[in-house]
């Protein structure tokens, strides 16, 4: 018969999704973390991004507590790629300082503070008159009247803890 019949089939296979996940760990104790998911190659757009089952159109997730998260990217052909990402807690920074002092007479006092966690880079106070740093753990204050101080401790990451100190002179109630 001499007839031939041929059929050709082209199979187009989409390459697997490759994605990048970027974790932004918190810097200060009260900060939250952030994760960015980004498809960099493969798959068939548009992509859908999920972090612990929560969908995002842009792959950005903010205000995340430290912990382990499960990330997924799904393309238009329902191909899926997943990974786990960890947000690491910020280094701890804490300072203990008495908040209220009552004195009988005016004079100079030394107030000690204790660094409970972290390291101090800078200490500032307001108002700045009649108060100064003394040693590695003290504040020298010349007390002549009632005064409220705002004291800020800054760590090596630039994180700031604010403490308040109220100094009052007790009135002498003696009757002459």
């Amino acid at each position: 018969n001499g007839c031939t019949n041929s059929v050709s089939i082209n199979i187009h296979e989409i390459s697997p999704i490759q994605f990048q996940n970027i974790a932004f760990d918190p810097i200060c104790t009260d900060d939250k973390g952030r994760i960015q998911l980004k498809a960099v190659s493969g798959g068939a757009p548009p992509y859908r991004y999920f972090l612990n089952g929560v969908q995002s159109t842009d792959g950005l997730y903010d205000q995340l507590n430290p912990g382990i998260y499960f990330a997924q990217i799904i393309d238009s052909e329902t191909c899926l790629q997943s990974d786990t990402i960890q947000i690491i807690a910020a280094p701890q920074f804490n300072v203990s300082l008495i908040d209220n002092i009552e004195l009988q007479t005016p004079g100079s006092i030394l107030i000690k503070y204790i660094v409970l966690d972290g390291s101090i880079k800078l200490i500032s106070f307001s108002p700045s008159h009649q108060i100064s740093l003394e040693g590695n753990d003290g504040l020298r204050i010349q007390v002549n009247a009632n005064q409220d101080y705002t004291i800020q401790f800054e760590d090596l990451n630039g994180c700031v803890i604010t403490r308040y100190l109220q100094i009052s002179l007790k009135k002498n109630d003696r009757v002459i």
Side-chain angles (χ1 to χ4, degrees):
N1 164 346
C3 296
T4 62
N5 191 4
S6 67
V7 176
S8 66
I9 299 174
N10 286 333
I11 298 175
H12 177 68
E13 186 175 344
I14 298 172
S15 61
I17 301 170
Q18 299 293 319
F19 77 96
Q20 179 181 29
N21 62 60
I22 304 167
F24 299 91
D25 297 325
I27 294 173
C28 299
T29 304
D30 294 333
D31 291 349
K32 299 288 186 175
R34 191 173 114 202
I35 291 176
Q36 179 180 9
L37 306 175
K38 185 176 180 181
V40 291
S41 67
Y47 303 101
R48 293 182 293 147
Y49 303 92
F50 295 88
L51 190 69
N52 286 3
V54 176
Q55 186 172 353
S56 166
T57 56
D58 59 6
L60 293 175
Y61 295 87
D62 289 319
Q63 300 299 312
L64 300 174
N65 291 319
I68 296 175
Y69 293 86
F70 182 66
Q72 294 179 310
I73 294 183
I74 302 173
D75 71 3
S76 63
E77 301 293 320
T78 66
C79 294
L80 172 105
Q81 190 63 267
S82 61
D83 198 2
T84 55
I85 307 164
Q86 183 175 10
I87 297 287
I88 299 171
Q92 294 296 305
F93 179 49
N94 198 2
V95 178
S96 175
L97 176 72
I98 193 166
D99 61 356
N100 192 332
I101 296 175
E102 187 175 282
L103 300 174
Q104 299 293 328
T105 59
S108 176
I109 61 168
L110 178 64
I111 299 172
K112 297 283 190 170
Y113 57 86
I114 301 169
V115 180
L116 301 173
D117 293 300
S119 299
I120 293 175
K121 177 177 81 174
L122 179 69
I123 300 174
S124 58
F125 18 83
S126 176
S128 60
H129 64 280
Q130 300 181 332
I131 184 171
S132 61
L133 295 175
E134 185 168 302
N136 291 329
D137 62 351
L139 300 170
R140 175 67 63 185
I141 301 175
Q142 181 63 41
V143 179
N144 296 318
N146 294 346
Q147 183 68 60
D148 294 341
Y149 289 96
T150 301
I151 303 166
Q152 293 188 316
F153 299 89
E154 183 177 332
D155 75 358
L156 301 173
N157 290 328
C159 305
V160 175
I161 292 176
T162 302
R163 298 289 184 250
Y164 301 97
L165 173 62
Q166 182 180 50
I167 298 179
S168 55
L169 286 172
K170 186 173 182 180
K171 300 212 187 253
N172 193 344
D173 294 334
R174 281 191 307 167
V175 177
I176 299 180

